[in-house]
């Protein structure tokens, strides 16, 4: 029996407010298949030699671009090898993410009195979304990605100015004669030399592929960029799946982060134990429970060394895929519909730029989802007799004025739960940012004023956070059209609507 996969775009990730760009759901898939993740850093102590000193930390090293490809057209480059099982039949989804600390092009150390300070020419390229991408046995091709977050022209992260970008490369991989092999990414920009806290940068390629021998799974990824500091934990809640009715509940967590120094034992990732009603730290053979982000690239219990350079210390760049240990269903049980994860640190900070979650799901749940959505007439009839799995088209009837994605956004706004905030007129408010600290809210407000807007701060009565609103309407369609209009502005791409009753 052929399986069916379904694509959704609903906001199933819940997390506490932090400084940066709040995570939003990017991709959800239900299918019989599996995933692969590869990547590498692009800053190091040497341009070609791997670094294997676990005590080395990025703020004490004069960072240089890694450049391994012997190509004069690239100033930074690194590689990683992708292996796929024989039974993998089709690439369903592929995306590149790249992230870096990038306040200026080059920094140096200086001494002022008894203090060590970091200085640099406070300007850098804004073309952080342009890179080069190389697939197995092919030449580089230019990639123009989307900027998920860039603090360069905002009041956030004054000392480091990090950014993260993303590009969908599904079509590129689907058209390859050979998917397995060596992948390269070049011309990612970051700060060389010295910078406060140390520079770090890297890239990752995440691939979901069809495999009819696998059990049905739920896959989801999120876009965003948030800072985790002492006292400011990040809580993630993964929903909209149902675990199998019997057998071990198997789930997988994928994370990408900057600034996870290997020497400092402070970073913790915890899973909520549904039996003990408390959070318990996660760990692997290469990631201890009290030093989870340790400047490494790991797959489950092993370090991924199949890359160039294959440094064991990636100087502040962390990438991982791990199974959440649940032997005997000791943490969560059959039929569970929710998994909670907490990220925290007792020292320093780190930046989270990628979150992925995967879980085997109930076959009954899977079939109910499939049967609840009508098959599109656009599916070619000959595919029913082919080896390809038919794809369910979930698109509603489109109007002449709106795209499918825009109609999805409208439906999300219609379904918003209203919030009661005393003193506010009932209606819809466009929110440009959310802050837990008053000073950062004031900085963002001034930034918005400089850009010609008239922002208004809304204090949420339950959590005290500062919501920066800049448009209001009592009419649903009016606020919807305003959100479409303003989301075309670079620093307003991630705006959202708050409904007040």
């Amino acid at each position: 029996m052929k399986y069916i996969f379904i694509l959704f775009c609903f906001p199933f990730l819940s997390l506490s407010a932090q400084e940066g760009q709040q995570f939003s759901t990017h991709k959800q898939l239900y299918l019989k298949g599996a995933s692969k993740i590869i990547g590498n850093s692009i800053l190091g102590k040497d341009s070609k030699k791997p670094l294997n000193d676990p005590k080395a930390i990025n703020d004490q090293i004069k960072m240089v671009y890694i450049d391994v490809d012997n190509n004069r057209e690239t100033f930074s480059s690194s590689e990683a090898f992708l292996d796929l099982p024989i039974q993998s039949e089709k690439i369903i989804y592929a995306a590149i993410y790249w992230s870096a600390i990038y306040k200026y092009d080059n920094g140096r150390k200086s001494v002022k009195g008894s203090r060590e300070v970091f200085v640099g020419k406070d300007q850098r390229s804004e073309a952080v979304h342009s890179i080069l991408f190389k697939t197995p046995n092919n030449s580089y091709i230019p990639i123009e990605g989307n900027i998920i977050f860039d603090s360069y022209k905002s009041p956030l992260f004054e000392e480091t100015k990090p950014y993260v970008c993303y590009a969908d490369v599904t079509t590129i991989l689907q058209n390859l004669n050979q998917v397995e092999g060596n992948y390269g990414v070049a011309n990612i920009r970051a700060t060389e030399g010295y910078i406060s806290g140390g520079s770090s940068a890297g890239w990752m390629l995440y691939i979901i592929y069809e495999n009819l021998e696998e059990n049905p799974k739920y896959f989801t990824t999120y876009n965003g960029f948030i800072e985790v500091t002492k006292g400011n934990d990040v809580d993630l809640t993964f929903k909209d799946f149902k675990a199998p009715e019997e057998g071990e509940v198997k789930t997988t967590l994928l994370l990408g982060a900057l600034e996870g120094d290997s020497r400092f034992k402070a970073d913790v990732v915890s899973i909520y134990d549904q039996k003990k009603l408390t959070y318990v730290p996660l760990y692997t053979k290469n990631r201890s429970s009290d030093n989870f982000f340790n400047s490494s690239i790991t797959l489950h219990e092993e370090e991924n060394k199949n890359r160039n350079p294959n440094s064991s210390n990636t100087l502040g760049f962390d990438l991982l895929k791990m199974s959440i240990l649940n032997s005997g269903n000791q943490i969560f049980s059959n039929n569970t519909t929710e998994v909670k994860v907490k990220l925290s640190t007792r020292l320093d900070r780190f930046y989270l730029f990628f979150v992925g979650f995967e879980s085997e799901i109930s076959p009954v749940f899977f079939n109910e989802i499939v049967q609840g959505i009508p098959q599109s007439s656009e599916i070619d009839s000959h595919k029913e007799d082919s080896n390809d799995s038919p794809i369910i088209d979930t698109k509603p009837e489109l109007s002449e004025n709106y795209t499918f994605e825009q109609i999805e956004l409208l439906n999300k706004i219609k379904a918003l739960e209203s919030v009661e905030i005393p003193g506010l007129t009932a209606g819809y408010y466009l929110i440009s940012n959310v802050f837990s600290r008053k000073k950062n809210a004031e900085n963002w407000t001034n930034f918005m004023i400089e850009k010609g807007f008239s922002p208004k701060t809304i204090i949420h009565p339950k959590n005290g956070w500062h919501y920066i609103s800049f448009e209001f309407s009592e009419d649903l369609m009016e606020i919807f059209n305003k959100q479409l209009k303003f989301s075309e502005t670079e620093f307003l791409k991630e705006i959202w609507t708050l409904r007040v009753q």
Side-chain angles (χ1 to χ4, degrees):
M1 179 179 177
K2 299 176 181 178
Y3 84 97
I4 301 173
F5 85 84
I6 308 172
L7 176 66
F8 292 92
C9 273
F10 301 142
F12 297 140
L13 176 69
S14 169
L15 72 167
S16 59
Q18 303 290 317
E19 313 306 352
Q21 178 60 57
Q22 294 300 296
F23 275 87
S24 60
T25 308
H26 180 67
K27 196 67 81 171
Q28 290 82 35
L29 290 164
Y30 298 85
L31 72 149
K32 290 186 177 180
S35 72
K36 289 284 184 176
I37 189 168
I38 61 172
N40 212 341
S41 56
I42 59 98
L43 285 176
K45 187 176 181 180
D46 186 90
S47 63
K48 297 185 185 299
K49 296 178 182 178
L51 177 65
N52 298 314
D53 179 4
K55 296 182 180 180
I57 57 175
N58 52 352
D59 60 355
Q60 295 180 359
I61 291 176
K62 186 177 182 181
M63 303 288 271
V64 298
Y65 280 127
I66 292 170
D67 196 9
V68 299
D69 60 8
N70 298 316
N71 187 326
R72 294 182 179 180
E73 296 181 1
T74 67
F75 56 82
S76 70
S77 65
S78 60
E79 299 171 339
F81 188 87
L82 173 69
D83 65 307
L84 288 173
I86 296 175
Q87 63 269 34
S88 62
E89 298 180 14
K90 184 191 300 181
I91 299 298
I92 302 300
Y93 173 70
I96 307 174
Y97 285 80
W98 59 100
S99 185
I101 302 298
Y102 191 29
K103 184 176 182 178
Y104 34 68
D105 288 313
N106 287 277
R108 58 184 176 85
K109 289 183 180 180
S110 181
V111 177
K112 275 191 176 182
S114 59
R115 281 193 314 123
E116 185 179 67
V117 297
F118 300 87
V119 294
K121 192 174 181 181
D122 202 7
Q123 64 182 45
R124 47 88 151 175
S125 170
E126 294 184 42
V128 295
H129 62 293
S130 299
I131 61 169
L132 296 176
F133 179 50
K134 184 169 62 174
T135 55
N137 304 318
N138 292 308
S139 301
Y140 282 114
I141 59 173
I143 296 290
E144 294 292 317
N146 299 306
I147 299 176
I148 297 172
F149 175 76
D150 187 3
S151 61
Y152 183 50
K153 289 191 174 181
S154 82
L156 302 176
F157 308 124
E158 289 290 351
E159 295 299 316
T160 52
K161 294 301 177 186
Y163 73 88
V164 59
C165 296
Y166 149 87
D168 190 314
V169 292
T170 305
T171 303
I172 294 175
L173 268 68
Q174 287 175 339
N175 291 332
L176 292 177
N177 293 324
Q178 178 184 336
V179 178
E180 184 173 271
N182 217 36
Y183 286 78
V185 176
N187 288 0
I188 295 176
R189 298 179 184 274
T191 293
E192 292 187 281
Y194 297 97
I195 193 170
S196 177
S199 192
S200 58
W203 61 272
M204 54 160 280
L205 175 64
Y206 177 61
I207 296 171
I208 298 174
Y209 59 91
E210 175 183 302
N211 185 341
L212 301 183
E213 296 182 6
E214 295 279 347
N215 292 326
K217 289 193 182 76
Y218 168 62
F219 300 81
T220 184
T221 64
Y222 306 90
N223 284 348
F225 190 96
I226 49 178
E227 180 186 37
V228 184
T229 58
K230 183 180 179 181
N232 287 300
D233 300 345
V234 170
D235 296 300
L236 310 174
T237 301
F238 304 103
K239 298 182 178 181
D240 207 69
F241 71 97
K242 185 178 181 182
E245 292 82 358
E246 57 185 19
E248 184 177 322
V249 178
K250 297 179 180 179
T251 58
T252 302
L253 183 66
L254 304 98
L255 297 171
L258 294 178
E259 284 293 286
D261 291 316
S262 61
R263 196 176 70 175
F264 299 138
K265 294 186 177 181
D267 307 327
V268 179
V269 176
S270 304
I271 187 79
Y272 186 72
D273 189 321
Q274 298 175 355
K275 306 284 183 65
K276 298 179 180 178
L277 303 181
T278 187
Y279 282 93
V280 295
L282 294 175
Y283 62 90
T284 70
K285 185 171 68 175
N286 292 290
R287 295 182 182 275
S288 64
S289 59
D290 63 349
N291 189 21
F292 194 85
F293 293 105
N294 57 9
S295 293
S296 65
I297 297 175
T298 60
L299 300 175
H300 301 292
E301 292 292 324
E302 303 298 330
E303 181 182 357
N304 180 11
K305 298 284 285 186
N306 205 352
R307 48 194 171 86
N308 184 22
N310 59 355
S311 303
S312 60
N313 185 347
T314 50
L315 293 173
F317 180 73
D318 268 277
L319 184 61
L320 69 102
K321 177 181 179 181
M322 65 171 292
S323 299
I324 299 175
L325 298 179
N326 190 40
S327 178
N329 290 344
Q330 59 184 346
I331 294 179
F332 28 80
S333 306
N334 297 118
N335 295 307
T336 189
T337 58
E338 182 177 277
V339 169
K340 294 181 179 180
V341 173
K342 183 187 293 290
L343 296 94
S344 59
T345 182
R346 298 188 301 273
L347 181 70
D348 202 21
R349 66 173 179 223
F350 63 89
Y351 302 118
L352 186 69
F353 69 84
F354 175 78
V355 176
F357 176 76
E358 302 170 2
S359 176
E360 288 190 357
I361 57 176
S362 158
V364 176
F365 174 78
F366 179 71
N367 291 334
E368 285 176 352
I369 291 177
V370 171
Q371 293 169 3
I373 299 177
Q375 295 193 18
S376 168
S377 59
E378 294 177 1
I379 298 177
D380 294 335
S381 59
H382 75 271
K383 288 187 178 180
E384 293 296 330
D385 298 321
S386 71
N387 292 325
D388 291 333
S389 300
I391 297 173
I392 293 299
D393 187 347
T394 64
K395 298 182 181 180
E397 291 295 324
L398 303 183
S399 71
E400 295 180 357
N401 299 320
Y402 298 116
T403 66
F404 169 51
E405 289 77 13
Q406 290 169 341
I407 289 178
E408 279 192 325
L409 173 61
L410 177 59
N411 289 333
K412 290 177 186 179
I413 297 175
K414 287 180 179 179
L416 285 175
E417 292 185 11
S418 58
V419 179
E420 185 176 354
I421 301 180
L424 276 189
T425 303
Y428 300 90
Y429 293 78
L430 274 187
I431 306 299
S432 65
N433 222 324
V434 181
F435 299 92
S436 59
R437 302 170 188 169
K438 182 179 179 181
K439 180 62 176 177
N440 290 334
E442 291 173 348
N443 289 339
W444 182 261
T445 297
N446 292 333
F447 171 74
M448 291 286 290
I449 293 173
E450 290 176 2
K451 294 297 184 179
F453 293 94
S454 300
K456 176 181 179 179
T457 299
I458 300 172
I459 307 296
H460 199 294
K462 290 187 177 180
N463 54 34
W465 298 336
H466 299 71
Y467 291 58
I468 311 302
S469 168
F470 66 101
E471 287 288 341
F472 165 79
S473 178
E474 296 180 0
D475 182 77
L476 170 66
M477 291 306 298
E478 181 179 357
I479 206 70
F480 167 65
N481 286 314
K482 285 183 177 181
Q483 183 165 343
L484 293 182
K485 171 188 173 183
F486 288 115
S487 62
E488 295 178 357
T489 304
E490 184 63 39
F491 61 91
L492 296 176
K493 284 185 175 181
E494 301 298 330
I495 58 175
W496 53 279
T497 297
L498 174 70
R499 183 181 181 182
V500 177
Q501 68 184 32

